[in-house]
Amino acid sequence: MRQAFTLIELLVVIVIIGILITIVLTVPQHLITKGKITETRVFLTQITQATEAYHDDDLAGAGDYPPTSLRAQGAGTNGVNDGIESLLAHLVSRKGGPFLPDIKPDKQISNTDHDSITGWNPNWIFGDAKARELCDSWGNPLVYFHNRDYKKPRSYMVRYRCANSRDQIVRPQIHKKLGTYPRFSSFMLWSFGPNGKNENGEGDDIANWK
């Protein structure tokens, strides 16, 4: 005659099933996050290469990188996400470019702070005045600093707004052990990473110098 399960046996089975469900649900999320990290690293590499190409093809003859703010071009913005808005405007300009021809506007570009450019025509591929940003795989704007602004970034250069969050203050990263700036002669570019919080290139931030 077959005996019924005891209460303890049923509880053990329920616990095992719960653990299996947790594993099944956690592993895909881990893989998704890992995939987004890899995707963002690749995108940062593409942008870095495009920015170096811009530097080499600079029509002014000075071989410079895009400025940290569009205000350097006499443009008006709301003072948020300035660095990456300036970088995008210069990399996709028709003047000498575009240097990012394979960019995906629906995935890699956004306007998280909903502002526009006034007083300056970027002559870019979009054909309007929206101050767009290059974004990571979580939809958050990337951070960009020209090397000349490392030591004394102005207040309008350090406010960044993630998707669905408040403004965050960002500053050029200083290497904790060496006391120097990464990429001291060129530019810094980084993502807030999976947690969406700025750590100035540290923590889970994804940067073009590490």
Side-chain angles (χ1 to χ4, degrees), residues 25-127:
L25 294 178
T26 302
V27 171
Q29 184 59 47
H30 171 72
L31 293 176
I32 290 172
T33 300
K34 187 175 181 180
K36 286 186 176 182
I37 291 174
T38 300
E39 187 177 53
T40 298
R41 288 191 187 281
V42 171
F43 191 37
L44 287 179
T45 299
Q46 293 174 340
I47 298 171
T48 297
Q49 292 173 346
T51 306
E52 293 292 352
Y54 175 92
H55 173 277
D56 295 342
D57 194 58
D58 182 17
L59 296 181
D64 202 4
Y65 296 102
T68 309
S69 173
L70 286 170
R71 300 188 188 192
Q73 310 289 136
T77 64
N78 67 350
V80 180
N81 304 335
D82 271 7
I84 201 61
E85 289 174 351
S86 175
L87 181 62
L88 175 62
H90 287 81
L91 293 184
V92 299
S93 171
R94 292 191 178 91
K95 186 179 291 186
F99 295 93
L100 279 173
D102 299 325
I103 200 165
K104 303 172 184 176
D106 58 333
K107 187 176 181 181
Q108 299 169 324
I109 295 177
S110 185
N111 187 5
T112 56
D113 52 335
H114 308 292
D115 63 334
S116 297
I117 303 170
T118 60
W120 179 65
N121 178 14
N123 188 28
W124 59 3
I125 61 176
F126 300 118

Side-chain angles (χ1 to χ4, degrees), residues 9-10 18-19 35 42 52 59 76 102 119 125 129 157 178 206:
E9 289 173 332
L10 287 173
I19 293 173
V42 171
E52 293 292 352
L59 296 181
D102 299 325
I125 61 176
M157 293 181 180
L178 301 179
I206 306 166

Side-chain angles (χ1 to χ4, degrees), residues 38 58 109 140 146 172 186 202 204:
T38 300
D58 182 17
I109 295 177
N140 295 319
H146 189 293
S186 54
E202 296 294 327
D204 74 344

